[in-house]
């Protein structure tokens, strides 16, 4: 069991929804840390976790602040997706307001390599505007949210990959594949070829689970419109689960392993 130096036994909130969050949940359960795992509730069948799970929003920054106090949380780990910016901002604000230490567990962004044909854009709207003029076959690898700006007034055919059938597309507009990562380069290459994809739109999520589409695009010489991560206020950030465990075990705010995001 982990005991936090100089304070009571820790009680941790994990803001989840990523592979990294699930890995952290397992590590916390293995270390017998008292922790609660939080899902937004976006998917119909979220992965089970080896920790107590709560589902749904907290009610903004104020709701989170109240919830943290009521639950006597001692540490918050933001292991949400790098594009879950609202949740991350709320966590920064609520932790600042309550004095509860916050650590982000975040995968480094993908970097382009020789052979990539990336057009990096700042946000969803810019990605939609960057689509070619001529009718094309687009792998829209951005999840379910925010597909509307791409579909609206668009001459293109779209391939979507979703974790559940929460969206429908008429066949002339595209096709939906139901799948949950991690994905492989061989399967993604076959998927791109099978659907005669000409362009890919993706978020710069980082990590290994969704990177295979970029390797496949490189091998096939396909252009990728890659959306940059949204801005999040600076917060202590680590990339590995073991660093989170060290932080929980160590004195608050003095982990020796955390780095400031973007600094
Ligand atoms: P978001 O825009 O930052 O969050 C919107 C609101 O959803 C938040 O203000 C919060 O509601 C609630 N929320 C988000 N994450 C939550 C969590 N882990 N626990 C409880 N409430 C949460 O987030 P999003 O982009 O919709 O992402 C939602 C979830 O999907 C996150 O868990 C994220 O890790 C996961 N995910 C997102 C993406 C992506 O591309 N955005 C990809 C893969 C997985 P309240 O204000 O009411 O508290």
């Amino acid at each position: 069991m982990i005991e936090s130096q100089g304070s009571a036994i820790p009680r941790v909130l994990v803001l989840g929804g990523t592979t990294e969050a699930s890995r952290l949940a397992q590590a916390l359960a293995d270390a017998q840390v008292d922790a609660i795992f939080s899902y937004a509730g976006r998917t119909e069948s979220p992965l089970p976790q080896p920790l107590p799970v709560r589902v749904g929003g907290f009610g903004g920054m104020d709701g989170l602040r109240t919830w943290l106090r009521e639950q006597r949380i001692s540490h918050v780990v933001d292991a949400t997706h790098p594009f879950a910016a609202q949740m991350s901002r709320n966590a920064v604000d609520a932790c600042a307001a309550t004095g509860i230490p916050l650590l982000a567990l975040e995968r480094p962004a993908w970097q382009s390599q020789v052979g990539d044909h990336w057009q990096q854009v700042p946000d969803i709207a810019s990605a939609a505007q960057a689509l070619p003029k001529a009718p094309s076959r687009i792998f829209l690898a951005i999840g379910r949210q925010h597909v509307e700006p791409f579909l609206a007034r668009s001459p293109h055919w779209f391939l979507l990959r979703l974790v559940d059938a929460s969206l429908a597309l008429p066949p002339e507009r595209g096709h939906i594949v139901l799948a949950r990562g991690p994905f492989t380069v061989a399967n993604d290459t076959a998927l791109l070829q099978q659907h005669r994809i000409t362009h890919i739109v993706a978020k710069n999520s980082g990590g290994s689970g969704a990177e295979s589409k970029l390797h496949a695009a490189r091998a096939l010489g396909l252009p990728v419109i890659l959306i940059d991560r949204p801005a999040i206020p600076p917060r202590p950030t680590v990339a590995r689960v073991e660093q989170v465990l060290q932080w929980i075990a160590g004195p608050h705010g003095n982990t020796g392993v955390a780095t400031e995001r973007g600094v």
Side-chain angles (χ1 to χ4, degrees):
M1 176 182 292
I2 287 185
E3 291 195 12
S4 191
Q5 294 170 20
S7 69
I9 292 173
R11 180 165 161 78
V12 180
L13 169 65
V14 178
L15 296 168
T18 58
T19 308
E20 291 75 13
S22 297
R23 284 193 198 127
L24 174 62
Q26 188 60 59
L28 291 171
D30 291 346
Q32 297 177 38
V33 175
D34 181 15
I36 301 177
F37 191 99
S38 179
Y39 274 124
R42 297 280 187 275
T43 59
E44 287 169 8
S45 52
L47 288 176
Q49 298 294 340
L51 297 174
V53 171
R54 66 163 301 285
V55 180
F58 297 93
M61 193 285 266
D62 289 338
L64 178 59
R65 190 182 52 192
T66 304
W67 189 93
L68 291 172
R69 285 198 177 120
E70 283 174 358
Q71 292 291 323
R72 301 184 179 281
I73 297 297
S74 65
H75 298 69
V76 176
V77 182
D78 180 359
T80 56
H81 189 274
F83 280 73
Q86 187 58 55
M87 186 69 253
S88 294
R89 288 180 196 126
N90 290 352
V92 169
D93 291 344
C95 286
T98 53
I100 297 171
L102 167 71
L103 186 67
L105 173 61
E106 189 179 74
R107 11 166 149 158
W110 293 318
Q111 305 295 327
S112 68
Q113 299 179 23
V114 175
D116 283 328
H117 303 282
W118 290 5
Q119 179 181 358
Q120 292 186 250
V121 296
D123 51 31
I124 297 275
S126 313
Q129 285 181 353
L131 291 180
K133 296 278 179 284
S136 305
R137 296 178 69 85
I138 316 278
F139 179 21
L140 190 54
I142 61 166
R144 179 189 47 157
Q145 295 186 71
H146 311 301
V147 298
E148 262 321 304
F150 296 89
L151 299 179
R153 298 185 300 280
S154 164
H156 308 301
W157 183 94
F158 291 96
L159 174 66
L160 306 185
R161 179 158 62 189
L162 307 177
V163 293
D164 52 43
S166 49
L167 196 74
L169 274 183
E172 68 276 12
R173 293 306 320 272
H175 177 71
I176 295 176
V177 176
L178 296 182
R180 198 193 285 271
F183 304 106
T184 67
V185 179
N187 284 353
D188 277 4
T189 305
L191 186 73
L192 296 174
Q193 289 178 315
Q194 178 194 349
H195 292 286
R196 295 177 286 116
I197 296 300
T198 60
H199 298 74
I200 297 172
V201 179
K203 296 173 174 175
N204 194 337
S205 304
S208 57
E211 193 179 16
S212 51
K213 59 181 174 280
L214 299 178
H215 292 291
R218 189 179 307 129
L220 297 172
L222 293 179
V224 178
I225 297 168
L226 196 64
I227 305 166
D228 288 340
R229 297 174 171 199
I232 294 169
R235 68 242 161 109
T237 300
V238 296
R240 290 185 294 110
V241 164
E242 313 85 73
Q243 294 171 300
V244 179
L245 295 184
Q246 287 169 11
W247 175 74
I248 293 168
H252 294 171
N254 183 24
T255 66
V257 294
T259 57
E260 288 289 312
R261 177 185 163 134
V263 176

